[in-house]
Amino acid sequence: MALSQPAAKKDDDREDDAEYSPFYGIEKGAVLQEARVFNDSQLDARRCAQVITKLLYLINQGETFTKMEATEVFFSVTKLFQSKDIGLRRMVYLVIKEISPSSDEVIIVTSSLMKDMNSKTDLYRANAIRVLCRITEGGLLGQIERYLKQAVVDKNPVVSSAALVSGIHLLQTNVDIVKRWSNEVQEAVQSKAPLVQFHALALLHQIRQNDRLAVSKLVSSLTRGSVRSPLAQCLLIRYTSQVIAESAPNTQTGDRPYYDYLEGCLRHKNEMVIFEAARAVTELKDVTSRELTPAITVLQLFLSSSKPVLRFAAVRTLNKVAMTHPLAVTNCNIDIESLIADQNRSIATLAITTLLKTGNESSVDRLMKQITNFMSDIADEFKIVVVEAIRSLCLKFPQKYRSLMNFLSNILREEGGFDYKKAIVDTILILIREIPEAKEGGLSHLCEFIEDCEFTYLSTQILHLLGKEGPKTVDPSKYIRYIYNRVILENATVRASAVSALAKFGVVVESLRPRILVLLRRCLFDTDDEVRDRATLYLNLLGNGPENVSESAQSLIFERLDVPLANLEASLQSYEPSERPFDVAAVSTEVKPQPFTEKKAPTSKKAGKDTNQKATANGGGLPGHKTSDSYERLLNSIPEFAGFGKLFKSSPIVELTEAETEYSVDVIKHIYSGHVVFQFNCTNTIAEYLLENVTVVMEAIDAEDFGEVVSKPLVSMPYGAPGKVFVAFQKPEGACSLAKFANTLRFYVKAVDPSTGESEEEGYEDEYQLEDSEVTAADYILKIGVSNFRNAWESMDPDSERVDEYGLGVRENLQEAVRAVSTILGMQPCEATEVVPPNARSHTCLLSGKFLGGVQVLVRLSVGIEAQKQVAMKLMVRSEDPAVSDIIHEIIGNA
Amino acid sequence: MEVSTPLIKNILLLDGEGKRVAVKYFSDDWPTLNAKLAFEKSVFTKTQKTSARTEAEIGMFDGYIVVYKFVSDLHFYVSGGEDENELILATVLQGFFDAVALLLRNNVEKKTVLENLDLILLCLDELVDGGIILESDANVIASRVAMRGADADVPLSEQTISQALATAKEHLARSLLK
């Protein structure tokens, strides 16, 4: 409760503020007192309006009212409907909306508002409709529906718009009522008032949005030209793009349906419409350069507009186009270059990054010069954008690394916040990794940077890299000084990483080892435990004579744990001291995706979906970060499954029933080395039934290797409460056995009286057909990417390689072929190779995964397409176990 | 593919020090008062040094497109999602800005805005309803706020004469401005 508003804050205000504000010293308590004038028998309309303004002022400043205060204000406000004063009535409408009374209070004003809805005064009607629709709930709407329907086609635009906009809001909660207005809304689309047309079109589309055919009809009739309102025209362009995206291009002529309409809109007289159309064209799927040209031309004109908003909109769109069609944007480069000096820094930054994307090798140096002048006077967040653009430019033109690296080291020395510095360091790190020639230069820039770096996180990151890369350079000794300086000058965290970096030099560079040992011994006197511990450890590993640094020391210092730390921590915490030593290999290697912040997404209002399901649905097919853990915990808690060993993989959820049927069932496959467990999540959606002894009968259609071992029924399944049924199968250990099952839900039904919840004694057996489920090859492969595919590929034994060629028959394009094969294998595409450039004749896709038992598998998938759309594929597989390479080929051969 | 009606996320009217004069949020992106104030502060500091006095300016802040225009000690802002058509947002801003100027007879400053806060709040109410643009034409908005033509059943009185006079003044002022 914010009662802190009054005294303290006002004192800070400047003296002269007092005469400025009519609300000086305003206080909630006093205003609530004043609100008693609403109850006077002789209403002073002006005074009442003033008090309402004060109340609104308080609400606007963030003041909140208790439930009781709000109720009191609301009740006294309702008395003001007696007054005939128009100004006061407007304020009453406004304050009712702000207070948003609870549903049991609403009833008091409905009759007054309904009276206003039938008033002769149009503005009363419009406002009463908006207020009423805002505050009432379903039941009451039935009563006023007739009026609303009439209001939609009212001759006064203000009334019609009010009804239509209210309809758009109501559609969220009362679909059925609003759908009955279709005819009136359709009539309103033809209105002469621009905003009415806009609102009507928006509502009509929302009513029909789930009916593709209806939307397509709507678009085809309106694009012939009866829409005058610019806003409505923008909507129509959006709907048209949607229809285009969902329909196939005309294969004969290659023409896109409705493209002519979009192009026509580029010549509209209103800039808003022109821009919407240009943007729609640039966002067309697989847009051709012929289609792009007219849109780019109008955007180019906008670039030299006097209005910043137009310049911004145009350059932002071109920036996006530059990512996919850099050549199309090149024509605008001169105009974009003049925007580098734009007063508006957002525009200037967008201009720079667009140029960096479209620029060719020869223009890089000139651009860098321009940017250097520009960098000093923009905010950090813009600088980060520029740094990121430079990163991609450098990867595009590796030969230019020298000037770009120089630029980066210059800006690294200038003032800047953490995020900015981190972006620069990250960029240098990436360049060092990707461009071998840039390594030495980059390392020395970083060395200089840590001499004067205030960010611990960056220092440790750089020290780690120095330890890894420094020993491999021509002259490793020059880095030692920089690193040891850190041991002398920095905080404990940095000192500890410096010690580790020194040790790495000691392991690799024999000539330096005696000197490193001296330095490490000095670290034994450090004030910090961690630093001393590390120094002791490394001294022991290195110190037993220079010649025999053991293999294990090497691996301890250099090899990283290939498990995510969070998983390791969890496993260590659950480990109980016993005979069995802790096994790192048993730690799950599945990387948990970061919990992403969810923007307000339209949530489906389907009942009975548990949170697990939602998480998976939102995660876009990835195992949601909670689910994999919770599955493991769930399965471990069931004694029948305890002997199956470690869970290898849980499949995504597959629905086995149509949406909105009597029973909703989906399945998750849990794969173990020698077993497969099917988890059926069942929900009873009929309130009148209670199901008991629920089982899923799985009949093998094709499952020679599988033998059912456990079937765990669900004892009782009341309405709405989801339950789980398990069926487990045994299969040959470690084998990639495929299977297909027909599923039937079998149960005992009892009738229930929904009002009391009591069930009848007697019931009957029944069953319900579910869709089939399959165990596929993909179930035995975990999607795990590798960061550097080439290194991983080359480190695999070439003898494990299996190569074969396949004909894939006629395909629409290569993208489809690549998608099909990677789906069959269920492997993780690496380095964004799953995207085939449009119209490519050949392509190589890199896939990585772990086969059952934790065997790493890598696949190079090369495909080619010929004129008759025949696709040929060459599949190269390497794996830690040659047998697995064979299995991959078998999978493809059988698919 | 999700297609949406153009949505306004919020409209802010702040003073020369970034304090609230009148604000209206239409989105749940800022659930608490603190989140709202933080957004206002961030937008204000990032735009403070720009001059948005002749033409509306624009920027992308915290993942929102914000168009803004300043006059005397007042800062007008309209925000939309990052995929919104910038020119639609600019139209709403211009509608708001001009309607306020009409209602305050071109005397737009913090003092007069606070003195006529009722008109400003009504203006916001007629501009956008629950995020959907209700009307963007400043003249239409201003006349709806003033309930012009609404008093058909009120007899001719001094009030209507003064209103007529005001309208005349306004027209004069606008023709002078052009």
Side-chain angles (χ1 to χ4, degrees):
Chain A
M1 210 51 263
L3 273 170
S4 58
Q5 196 76 11
K9 202 178 159 210
K10 291 293 174 234
D11 287 349
D12 300 341
D13 288 355
R14 288 208 318 269
E15 262 311 276
D16 55 358
D17 252 15
E19 50 196 292
Y20 263 62
S21 171
F23 301 104
Y24 177 75
I26 189 171
E27 206 203 342
K28 185 173 83 169
V31 178
L32 289 175
Q33 285 280 334
E34 269 188 86
R36 296 199 176 153
V37 296
F38 300 164
N39 298 325
D40 288 354
S41 51
Q42 284 293 313
L43 282 174
D44 178 348
R46 248 195 78 209
R47 177 98 199 280
C48 290
Q50 277 171 358
V51 176
I52 292 182
T53 310
K54 284 185 186 170
L55 285 167
L56 290 171
Y57 174 82
L58 287 174
I59 294 173
N60 219 288
Q61 293 296 318
E63 185 80 74
T64 45
F65 294 98
T66 63
K67 179 87 181 61
M68 230 175 75
E69 287 165 344
T71 306
E72 205 170 306
V73 169
F74 174 69
F75 274 100
S76 42
V77 161
T78 57
K79 304 227 168 72
L80 300 179
F81 274 104
Q82 293 166 22
S83 167
K84 291 258 183 297
D85 188 279
I86 42 173
L88 178 59
R89 184 65 58 88
R90 292 301 309 275
M91 296 311 281
V92 169
Y93 294 138
L94 208 52
V95 78
I96 290 178
K97 279 198 278 189
E98 288 294 336
I99 296 177
S100 54
S102 61
S103 50
D104 48 330
E105 295 165 1
V106 166
I107 197 79
I108 297 170
V109 279
T110 41
S111 63
S112 304
L113 287 169
M114 277 163 76
K115 206 173 131 219
D116 282 358
M117 258 176 77
N118 293 301
S119 152
K120 272 184 287 178
T121 313
D122 290 338
L123 274 162
Y124 279 1
R125 295 223 305 279
N127 275 290
I129 288 171
R130 285 171 58 204
V131 176
L132 207 51
C133 291
R134 172 76 62 90
I135 62 174
T136 49
E137 284 172 9
L140 211 73
L141 275 176
Q143 292 182 39
I144 56 168
E145 193 203 334
R146 193 161 53 89
Y147 302 111
L148 290 175
K149 218 164 147 178
Q150 255 167 30
V152 167
V153 287
D154 196 284
K155 63 181 189 318
N156 191 327
V158 72
V159 178
S160 178
S161 277
L164 288 164
V165 171
S166 299
I168 295 174
H169 296 313
L170 287 175
L171 203 59
Q172 314 296 324
T173 48
N174 294 283
V175 186
D176 297 334
I177 289 186
V178 183
K179 273 193 173 161
R180 289 201 286 264
W181 309 351
S182 279
N183 288 335
E184 284 77 11
V185 177
Q186 202 150 15
E187 197 182 321
V189 171
Q190 302 304 329
S191 165
K192 289 210 165 43
L195 267 291
V196 173
Q197 191 169 52
F198 165 62
H199 296 138
L201 183 55
L203 182 55
L204 193 62
H205 178 260
Q206 281 189 22
I207 290 176
R208 296 184 176 170
Q209 63 183 348
N210 293 324
D211 181 352
R212 274 174 55 176
L213 194 68
V215 172
S216 155
K217 268 189 191 159
L218 179 70
V219 165
S220 86
S221 73
L222 290 179
T223 45
R224 288 194 212 113
S226 53
V227 178
R228 284 169 305 271
S229 148
L231 275 170
Q233 195 75 260
C234 287
L235 278 184
L236 187 55
I237 291 171
R238 288 182 193 186
Y239 303 154
T240 306
S241 316
Q242 183 193 24
V243 172
I244 294 177
E246 283 167 358
S247 56
N250 186 334
T251 38
Q252 250 88 63
T253 59
D255 278 351
R256 219 184 273 270
Y258 300 115
Y259 175 77
D260 292 343
Y261 165 72
L262 292 182
E263 202 198 357
C265 288
L266 293 174
R267 294 186 293 272
H268 198 274
K269 59 183 186 303
N270 190 302
E271 285 160 345
M272 186 200 288
V273 178
I274 300 175
F275 175 66
E276 186 77 42
R279 200 169 66 153
V281 170
T282 63
E283 284 168 3
L284 289 175
K285 199 167 157 272
D286 301 330
V287 64
T288 63
S289 47
R290 189 165 61 92
E291 289 168 324
L292 262 180
T293 313
I296 301 286
T297 313
V298 299
L299 291 174
Q300 188 173 7
L301 285 175
F302 284 178
L303 288 176
S304 45
S305 162
S306 63
K307 294 182 192 155
V309 174
L310 269 181
R311 297 199 298 272
F312 178 91
V315 77
R316 192 161 81 109
T317 309
L318 289 172
N319 191 319
K320 279 196 201 130
V321 178
M323 288 184 211
T324 48
H325 297 82
L327 281 179
V329 183
T330 336
N331 282 338
C332 312
N333 274 4
I334 297 176
D335 301 86
I336 299 178
E337 266 183 50
S338 61
L339 292 184
I340 295 179
D342 202 291
Q343 284 292 316
N344 183 317
R345 286 303 156 195
S346 298
I347 296 176
T349 312
L350 283 166
I352 287 272
T353 53
T354 312
L355 287 172
L356 289 175
K357 282 173 198 149
T358 58
N360 49 27
E361 209 161 335
S362 56
S363 65
V364 168
D365 291 310
R366 189 163 49 90
L367 263 178
M368 296 318 289
K369 201 171 279 169
Q370 275 174 309
I371 299 174
T372 315
N373 300 331
F374 162 83
M375 283 303 261
S376 54
D377 53 39
I378 55 171
D380 267 14
E381 54 181 336
F382 293 143
K383 290 182 184 166
I384 293 173
V385 177
V386 174
V387 168
E388 277 162 5
I390 288 179
R391 175 190 311 170
S392 45
L393 182 72
C394 196
L395 294 176
K396 201 161 99 191
F397 303 124
Q399 299 88 325
K400 286 283 161 196
Y401 78 89
R402 210 179 296 274
S403 66
L404 293 169
M405 196 63 115
N406 270 336
F407 174 78
L408 289 173
S409 79
N410 282 337
I411 55 174
L412 194 53
R413 265 182 245 127
E414 279 160 23
E415 286 292 299
F418 173 73
D419 288 326
Y420 174 43
K421 287 290 165 84
K422 182 171 179 299
I424 304 173
V425 169
D426 285 347
T427 302
I428 297 183
L429 293 183
I430 288 170
L431 298 188
I432 289 175
R433 202 177 63 213
E434 301 291 332
I435 308 171
E437 302 86 9
K439 191 156 96 183
E440 297 253 346
L443 287 180
S444 43
H445 288 314
L446 291 176
C447 281
E448 268 163 45
F449 173 61
I450 53 170
E451 288 278 26
D452 185 24
C453 169
E454 52 187 316
F455 305 110
T456 302
Y457 173 87
L458 294 180
S459 294
T460 53
Q461 203 185 357
I462 292 169
L463 284 166
H464 175 80
L465 180 86
L466 285 176
K468 211 170 100 204
E469 299 292 342
K472 297 182 215 156
T473 54
V474 186
D475 181 16
S477 62
K478 71 173 177 193
Y479 300 107
I480 302 293
R481 178 174 61 89
Y482 292 107
I483 299 175
Y484 191 67
N485 277 347
R486 306 278 67 72
V487 179
I488 304 170
L489 298 167
E490 299 281 353
N491 63 41
T493 313
V494 179
R495 292 203 302 275
S497 9
V499 167
S500 297
L502 281 177
K504 285 175 190 162
F505 279 86
V507 173
V508 178
V509 190
E510 251 185 272
S511 56
L512 288 175
R513 197 171 300 147
R515 281 185 272 169
I516 296 278
L517 285 172
V518 173
L519 294 176
L520 284 178
R521 265 184 220 111
R522 285 195 204 157
C523 300
L524 290 175
F525 303 102
D526 197 279
T527 50
D528 184 79
D529 293 347
E530 173 74 21
V531 179
R532 285 198 310 274
D533 286 353
R534 285 197 189 189
T536 315
L537 170 70
Y538 295 133
L539 274 172
N540 278 323
L541 289 173
L542 292 171
N544 307 327
E547 55 289 322
N548 47 7
V549 175
S550 61
E551 286 269 312
S552 64
Q554 290 240 16
S555 67
L556 182 65
I557 293 176
F558 273 103
E559 269 180 25
R560 301 174 32 184
L561 284 172
D562 51 0
V563 288
L565 285 179
N567 297 5
L568 180 61
E569 187 186 347
S571 301
L572 281 170
Q573 270 171 356
S574 61
Y575 174 74
E576 284 166 20
S578 66
E579 290 293 297
R580 218 158 43 95
F582 180 78
D583 182 9
V584 176
V587 179
S588 157
T589 52
E590 199 158 318
V591 181
K592 296 168 190 173
Q594 292 291 319
F596 48 91
T597 44
E598 205 180 328
K599 280 212 170 169
K600 202 190 70 165
T603 41
S604 64
K605 293 203 174 60
K606 240 185 235 171
K609 291 251 167 194
D610 61 14
T611 45
N612 273 356
Q613 268 171 289
K614 254 188 215 149
T616 315
N618 290 342
L622 278 172
H625 80 288
K626 271 193 200 134
T627 47
S628 58
D629 258 12
S630 62
Y631 287 153
E632 199 161 357
R633 221 171 296 136
L634 171 76
L635 293 167
N636 285 342
S637 68
I638 299 170
E640 284 93 330
F641 306 146
F644 291 180
K646 193 178 137 35
L647 177 63
F648 174 70
K649 177 181 179 176
S650 296
S651 74
I653 293 173
V654 181
E655 303 272 351
L656 295 182
T657 49
E658 303 273 329
E660 282 154 37
T661 45
E662 299 102 299
Y663 313 109
S664 137
V665 180
D666 55 51
V667 68
I668 302 156
K669 290 167 279 183
H670 302 290
I671 311 290
Y672 291 85
S673 174
H675 296 86
V676 177
V677 175
F678 290 84
Q679 173 189 336
F680 297 94
N681 299 315
C682 314
T683 312
N684 170 11
T685 59
I686 304 178
E688 289 80 14
Y689 287 154
L690 168 71
L691 307 191
E692 286 185 348
N693 196 19
V694 184
T695 52
V696 176
V697 180
M698 298 183 69
E699 245 170 279
I701 300 176
D702 177 18
E704 294 143 22
D705 296 341
F706 283 71
E708 186 172 323
V709 283
V710 182
S711 173
K712 230 178 121 48
L714 184 63
V715 180
S716 146
M717 187 160 90
Y719 163 66
K724 298 182 180 68
V725 177
F726 294 93
V727 182
F729 287 88
Q730 196 163 25
K731 65 171 211 37
E733 193 78 19
C736 172
S737 317
L738 308 183
K740 190 171 183 188
F741 298 94
N743 304 315
T744 316
L745 190 67
R746 199 164 282 175
F747 44 82
Y748 193 74
V749 194
K750 284 182 179 172
V752 173
D753 181 348
S755 55
T756 60
E758 276 171 34
S759 65
E760 285 172 20
E761 289 287 301
E762 289 295 304
Y764 55 92
E765 290 265 354
D766 199 359
E767 56 180 45
Y768 187 81
Q769 200 64 42
L770 303 175
E771 288 185 22
D772 298 347
S773 54
E774 276 185 278
V775 179
T776 62
D779 290 327
Y780 296 105
I781 300 176
L782 273 182
K783 274 190 169 187
I784 292 184
V786 288
S787 57
N788 187 329
F789 190 89
R790 217 175 86 190
N791 280 0
W793 179 265
E794 273 159 16
S795 66
M796 289 261 192
D797 182 6
D799 289 342
S800 74
E801 184 170 310
R802 298 287 184 275
V803 186
D804 209 345
E805 290 180 11
Y806 301 86
L808 297 183
V810 177
R811 298 274 171 165
E812 190 55 44
N813 53 33
L814 286 180
Q815 181 70 65
E816 191 205 328
V818 167
R819 198 180 302 132
V821 176
S822 48
T823 319
I824 292 171
L825 292 176
M827 294 171 76
Q828 178 70 45
C830 301
E831 298 165 17
T833 52
E834 74 274 28
V835 185
V836 182
N839 304 326
R841 314 302 307 168
S842 65
H843 183 75
T844 300
C845 175
L846 309 172
L847 299 169
S848 145
K850 279 223 164 122
F851 193 74
L852 190 58
V855 182
Q856 173 93 54
V857 195
L858 298 173
V859 172
R860 297 180 81 109
L861 173 74
S862 307
V863 283
I865 191 164
E866 43 125 284
Q868 275 77 47
K869 306 232 169 197
Q870 282 282 350
V871 175
M873 170 174 79
K874 183 176 168 193
L875 196 68
M876 299 166 76
V877 187
R878 284 191 185 183
S879 157
E880 286 165 358
D881 178 359
V884 172
S885 303
D886 290 328
I887 291 177
I888 298 285
H889 277 287
E890 248 172 69
I891 294 170
I892 294 295
N894 294 334
Chain B
M1 195 169 113
E2 192 78 16
V3 188
S4 77
T5 311
L7 283 181
I8 307 300
K9 296 270 186 185
N10 63 40
I11 302 179
L12 314 174
L13 177 51
L14 307 179
D15 70 8
E17 291 162 18
K19 289 210 198 78
R20 271 185 184 187
V21 177
V23 297
K24 189 89 189 137
Y25 283 82
F26 306 104
S27 149
D28 302 332
D29 294 4
W30 303 271
T32 61
L33 176 64
N34 281 338
K36 293 185 175 99
L37 290 173
F39 180 76
E40 287 158 34
K41 184 160 186 253
S42 151
V43 167
F44 177 79
T45 30
K46 282 170 188 159
T47 57
Q48 201 177 6
K49 286 189 197 123
T50 57
S51 111
R53 289 180 188 270
T54 47
E55 289 284 358
E57 282 287 344
I58 182 166
M60 179 116 177
F61 308 115
D62 310 338
Y64 299 92
I65 300 282
V66 183
V67 289
Y68 52 99
K69 199 164 181 188
F70 304 158
V71 63
S72 79
D73 53 356
L74 286 171
H75 294 192
F76 292 71
Y77 301 90
V78 171
S79 321
E82 64 173 334
D83 289 328
E84 200 44 81
N85 181 331
E86 292 88 340
L87 303 180
I88 293 181
L89 299 177
T91 308
V92 174
L93 176 72
Q94 197 64 39
F96 181 37
F97 190 87
D98 291 346
V100 171
L102 282 173
L103 289 166
L104 301 182
R105 322 241 187 283
N106 276 320
N107 188 9
V108 185
E109 53 179 9
K110 186 183 174 189
K111 181 164 168 281
T112 50
V113 162
L114 283 176
E115 281 164 3
N116 296 284
L117 191 68
D118 49 347
L119 297 182
I120 307 301
L121 294 175
L122 287 172
C123 186
L124 284 170
D125 187 57
E126 291 290 350
L127 184 67
V128 174
D129 183 294
I132 297 174
I133 304 164
L134 193 59
E135 178 56 69
S136 58
D137 183 321
N139 287 308
V140 178
I141 295 172
S143 64
R144 283 181 190 173
V145 169
M147 291 292 268
R148 230 169 269 142
D151 41 6
D153 47 353
V154 178
L156 199 67
S157 67
E158 258 185 309
Q159 198 197 6
T160 46
I161 291 171
S162 70
Q163 249 182 13
L165 204 64
T167 317
K169 264 192 211 161
E170 207 173 87
H171 280 297
L172 186 67
R174 260 190 295 139
S175 57
L176 284 176
L177 271 176
K178 271 176 190 165

